[in-house]
Amino acid sequence: MRVAILARRSTDHQADSIDRQIADSRAFIKRMGWTVIEDCIFYVPEGVCGAILDRPELRGLVEAGRQRKIDAVVLQTTD
């Protein structure tokens, strides 16, 4: 399975770093036997509202799906 990663820093959980989320996601993907598509690692910059749907990282994910570069997206929750 070809997988994209989406990471986001929540203002409520500042200790959850983008780098750690990406590393954890990579480890999970490896355990599952899937493949990270390196140009499909996206993160939401700090201070950008997650409720806004028209933003570059989401457009990138949608385009990767349209081009059939990815089969799934891995992300972490902060709950």
Side-chain angles (χ1 to χ4, degrees), residues 5 21-31 36 38 41:
I5 295 173
Q21 288 179 51
I22 291 172
D24 290 350
S25 293
R26 283 183 181 281
F28 173 77
I29 291 164
K30 184 176 180 177
R31 283 193 309 274
V36 175
E38 294 299 325
I41 298 174

Side-chain angles (χ1 to χ4, degrees), residues 41-60:
I41 298 174
F42 301 96
Y43 65 92
V44 180
E46 185 173 351
V48 174
C49 177
I52 297 172
L53 296 179
D54 185 23
R55 43 186 216 260
E57 61 282 348
L58 290 182
R59 286 194 302 270

Side-chain angles (χ1 to χ4, degrees), residues 3-72:
V3 183
I5 295 173
L6 178 63
R8 180 174 182 274
R9 182 173 305 182
S10 169
T11 55
D12 295 336
H13 300 90
Q14 290 300 326
D16 294 335
S17 76
I18 298 289
D19 292 338
R20 195 193 80 218
Q21 288 179 51
I22 291 172
D24 290 350
S25 293
R26 283 183 181 281
F28 173 77
I29 291 164
K30 184 176 180 177
R31 283 193 309 274
M32 298 302 292
W34 301 339
T35 303
V36 175
I37 304 304
E38 294 299 325
D39 65 338
C40 293
I41 298 174
F42 301 96
Y43 65 92
V44 180
E46 185 173 351
V48 174
C49 177
I52 297 172
L53 296 179
D54 185 23
R55 43 186 216 260
E57 61 282 348
L58 290 182
R59 286 194 302 270
L61 282 173
V62 169
E63 188 58 29
R66 281 190 185 136
Q67 293 176 6
R68 304 210 186 277
K69 290 173 68 173
I70 59 171
D71 302 303

